[in-house]
Amino acid sequence: MATSEAPQPQGSQQPVAIVCVGMAGSGKTTFMQRINSYLHSQQEPPYVINLDPAVRTVPFDSNIDIRDSVNYKEVMKSYNLGPNGGILTSLNLFATKIDQIISLLEKRTGPDPAKPDAKPIKNILVDTPGQIEVFVWSASGSILLDSLASSFPTVIAYIIDTPRTTSTSTFMSNMLYACSILYKTKLPMILVMNKTDVKDAEFAKEWMTDFDAFQAALREEEEAGSFGGMEGEGVGGGSGYMGSLLNSMSLVLEEFYSHLSVVGVSSMTGAGISEFFEAVGEKAKEFETDYKPELERKRKQRADDKVANREKELGKLMKDMDVSGKAPTRSVEPDMDTLSDLDDESVEGEEEGDGADGLSARYNKALEESGGPTGEDHSFTRYLKASQMKM
């Protein structure tokens, strides 16, 4: 059933980072275990990262585990946080070491000179917290994803609980969430319809590709009163607002569906895993051709903006320092050195003019009051002059 080698899941020699996200209960961790086991069976062991600090046990071995660096319970106690706040703060603390993580990934996934015959790692698997909003919409999640995407082709695998999306309303809710994640991360995405051993995913694929099929299912649910009406009311029974909203959303998301790959898998039986890695290979090529140039353009724009701001600030500094050679147009306040020069000049003026005679008179008067000798002896004046000349 399995081939001798796993499908090549990348369009280049770099390993592909597969980031698994999904709502709680969607089977995300079990899916991680299944694809990890599949790659090992194909003699292509991946590099596994666990970013869920609150999980107690995982059914796979992690090369990098956030629980080794951050104690989730201690974070909650130290900062007086709840479960979601503890997860978010743990991710924030872990994200401060992202440069070390990327360096380690580049070292581990590159060729090893000591082992030239060893196969290079071709896949990086990343498991995320079940509280999907904590990872996708947080600053630390953006830092982790952007850092991965700047170094490796990165693909988002959005895990969906297929049996829970059989109604049009829950299906549309999942599609809207997937749409928001796609435009937030700006990375290629694969919709993984999990638990196909319980419910086949063909209905979801049909709703995404055939507008009339979704409309027929929507009318059927309206007639059955699934949107709040009484069963048997006929066409128009139930909430007309909900039906019109879902109808409008299906039209809006028609363009969104064209950018997605949909794969039905069963984490329990392993069905559809090979198709998933084929989709990963296609999305990795799409990353290289469509997403990577955009990332490079944004990175270059940020660098150019930084240089422009630096030159602007330098121009302001040069203008303030008045190094352009032009005469200053504003009055210049004398500095401390200028003031000291003025003081020296005033002292010299006193020595050359009446200041010295006045000082001698005050000196003689002080001697008379103290009973000392008086006269024309200007030894004190000469002493002052000699002292100032030495200075």
Side-chain angles (χ1 to χ4, degrees), residues 36 38 43 49 60 72 90 94 119 151 166 260 273 314 327 369 372 379-380 384 386:
N36 180 40
Y38 174 82
Q43 306 301 318
I49 302 175
F60 50 82
Y72 167 69
S90 298
F94 188 73
K119 287 186 177 181
S151 302
T166 53
L260 292 179
I273 298 300
L314 181 59
E369 293 176 353
S379 59
F380 182 70
L384 287 177

Side-chain angles (χ1 to χ4, degrees), residues 220-285:
E220 183 179 351
E221 292 186 5
E222 285 182 333
E223 294 174 357
S226 299
F227 299 142
M230 299 298 293
E231 185 175 356
E233 289 182 358
V235 178
S239 172
Y241 169 78
M242 179 62 74
S244 62
L245 176 63
L246 294 176
N247 190 11
S248 301
M249 288 296 100
S250 63
L251 290 173
V252 171
L253 295 180
E254 187 174 2
E255 179 66 21
F256 166 70
Y257 294 150
S258 62
H259 297 284
L260 292 179
S261 296
V262 185
V263 180
V265 303
S266 172
S267 299
M268 185 64 65
T269 64
I273 298 300
S274 59
E275 288 80 2
F276 168 76
F277 278 100
E278 291 175 2
V280 169
E282 293 297 324
K283 289 299 177 182
K285 295 177 182 178

Side-chain angles (χ1 to χ4, degrees), residues 345-378:
E345 292 174 359
S346 63
V347 171
E348 292 175 359
E350 288 180 350
E351 293 173 356
E352 295 172 357
D354 297 335
D357 296 336
L359 181 60
S360 177
R362 290 195 298 271
Y363 171 67
N364 291 329
K365 183 178 179 181
L367 288 177
E368 290 177 356
E369 293 176 353
S370 61
T374 59
E376 296 298 321
D377 184 11
H378 300 287

